[in-house]
Amino acid sequence: SQTIHQWPATLVQPVGSPLSLECTVEGTSNPNLYWYRQAAGRGLQLLFYSVGIGQISSEVPQNLSASRPQDRQFILSSKKLLLSDSGFYLCAWSAGPNYGYTFGSGTRLTVV
Amino acid sequence: GENVEQHPSTLSVQEGDSAVIKCTYSDSASNYFPWYKQELGKGPQLIIDIRSNVGEKKDQRIAVTLNKTAKHFSLHITETQPEDSAVYFCAAFPGGYQKVTFGTGTKLQVIP
């Protein structure tokens, strides 16, 4: 069966520090991968998605970037965090168009 | 692009009563409609979905109905229990695209 792993679960980082969140999927190949951000009590904002290795589409211009160095690995990064980067970050995968998403357990990021 | 509206934003029901959450979508090409349940501090989980060639789908206490003509779909939870308390998100997939549009979420509170 397919599983998705996301870490760390919680992270407290100072303003101006770098960020690296990692997401890996097991049990499938060539998944579509997504990064979402969720502010407290708010909906899901799509940040990036990838349909293949090295292919990244950005939805929102911001302080973040994403990379997909391997088929089942998706990384969210920042060179310098801002206070506004705080939130709940979710990784998800799908088998392709019109297939449901499976979400990871999320990373709670607090920038102080 | 696709636009999904979800109502209500909050819903309180007595244990044992039914709960209904409604979503409307704008793109008539959308053909896949999942519902997700998100418990506090966790990632959303798929609870039920429906495709455009089906009008209704049921899974125990949960059902989803789809009206393609009116472009709306609804989640029905019967005999609600305290563990049903969570945020529920609807979504619409505009066929052939790689990413989904989510509703803004409904916070359901089941009062014991």
Side-chain angles (χ1 to χ4, degrees):
Chain A
S1 63
Q2 302 89 3
T3 56
I4 180 168
H5 302 280
Q6 189 179 343
W7 68 93
T10 60
L11 192 60
V12 180
Q13 292 285 95
V15 170
S17 64
L19 173 73
S20 180
L21 302 181
E22 189 163 345
C23 173
T24 59
V25 180
E26 296 178 355
T28 187
S29 60
N30 197 33
N32 287 356
L33 296 171
Y34 309 84
W35 278 111
Y36 280 85
R37 177 169 60 196
Q38 189 174 32
R42 304 291 294 275
L44 299 161
Q45 179 188 33
L46 179 63
L47 301 176
F48 302 94
Y49 70 95
S50 171
V51 300
I53 296 174
Q55 301 179 58
I56 307 295
S57 295
S58 175
E59 290 295 302
V60 182
Q62 61 212 328
N63 186 42
L64 303 170
S65 63
S67 62
R68 185 171 177 173
Q70 300 181 41
D71 181 45
R72 291 168 290 176
Q73 183 185 29
F74 206 22
I75 297 172
L76 182 68
S77 304
S78 174
K79 292 182 179 179
K80 289 185 178 182
L81 284 168
L82 306 172
L83 286 174
S84 57
D85 291 324
S86 293
F88 192 49
Y89 288 82
L90 290 157
C91 180
W93 78 273
S94 74
N98 299 331
Y99 284 87
Y101 287 12
T102 299
F103 285 88
S105 53
T107 295
R108 173 75 58 193
L109 172 66
T110 304
V111 182
V112 296
Chain B
E2 175 66 280
N3 181 48
V4 177
E5 294 188 359
Q6 183 172 346
H7 299 281
S9 57
T10 60
L11 179 61
S12 291
V13 299
Q14 292 290 332
E15 182 177 357
D17 288 349
S18 296
V20 180
I21 303 170
K22 298 181 179 180
C23 288
T24 61
Y25 61 98
S26 60
D27 190 342
S28 57
S30 290
N31 56 16
Y32 175 59
F33 307 92
W35 284 90
Y36 292 85
K37 175 184 180 182
Q38 185 178 25
E39 298 178 343
L40 192 63
K42 298 183 179 180
Q45 289 202 325
L46 178 69
I47 56 172
I48 196 168
D49 56 11
I50 192 168
R51 297 193 181 271
S52 59
N53 58 347
V54 176
E56 182 175 0
K57 184 176 180 180
K58 189 174 182 180
D59 182 5
Q60 299 183 339
R61 297 186 296 108
I62 295 174
V64 56
T65 58
L66 172 65
N67 184 325
K68 289 189 297 182
T69 302
K71 289 190 282 189
H72 68 71
F73 55 110
S74 300
L75 177 70
H76 305 255
I77 305 174
T78 59
E79 302 173 15
T80 53
Q81 302 169 2
E83 51 266 37
D84 294 329
S85 297
V87 177
Y88 291 81
F89 290 96
C90 64
F93 281 69
Y97 287 82
Q98 303 292 346
K99 51 192 173 76
V100 68
T101 300
F102 284 92
T104 50
T106 296
K107 185 175 182 179
L108 172 65
Q109 182 184 21
V110 179
I111 303 168

